[in-house]
Amino acid sequence: MPRTTPESDVELMLKGYGLTTAEFFYRMPDHRHVLNSYIWQDYDLAPDYPRLFGFIEFWQEKIEGPLHSVRFTHRKLIAPGEWRNVVGEFRLH
């Protein structure tokens, strides 16, 4: 599922998005007994994962290799307590 607005990665993280990585196991179209894997990664919102599920729907509609299984992980890269506005900086030698 493509992004509808061009936002930077930092803007997405500040809006609560985290990095989602999924590994798709699928059967080869011509050899159904052979499994192959595909890695997908994008910024997504937990717990609904609209981009991940949008990609799964795209796969089921457009890709010939039927899905066997999907495993994924999600990590917020910026937590609310980790971001702060720095107004000044002091250096001591």
Side-chain angles (χ1 to χ4, degrees), residues 28-40:
M28 299 294 290
D30 295 335
H31 305 285
R32 298 294 171 131
H33 60 283
V34 177
L35 285 178
N36 203 357
S37 67
Y38 177 79
I39 302 293
W40 174 89

Side-chain angles (χ1 to χ4, degrees), residues 27-62:
R27 299 189 183 278
M28 299 294 290
D30 295 335
H31 305 285
R32 298 294 171 131
H33 60 283
V34 177
L35 285 178
N36 203 357
S37 67
Y38 177 79
I39 302 293
W40 174 89
Q41 194 172 53
D42 200 357
Y43 290 100
D44 210 351
L45 283 169
D48 296 330
Y49 304 104
R51 292 185 178 164
L52 174 61
F53 288 115
F55 185 77
I56 291 172
E57 289 175 9
F58 166 80
W59 186 291
Q60 292 174 334
E61 293 171 5
K62 305 290 183 183

Side-chain angles (χ1 to χ4, degrees), residues 55-74:
F55 185 77
I56 291 172
E57 289 175 9
F58 166 80
W59 186 291
Q60 292 174 334
E61 293 171 5
K62 305 290 183 183
I63 307 294
E64 289 184 27
L67 286 175
H68 174 271
S69 59
V70 178
R71 65 180 182 175
F72 70 96
T73 184
H74 178 82

Side-chain angles (χ1 to χ4, degrees), residues 81-91:
E82 296 176 18
W83 183 263
R84 60 189 173 103
N85 185 17
V86 178
V87 179
E89 180 178 330
F90 295 100
R91 291 187 180 202

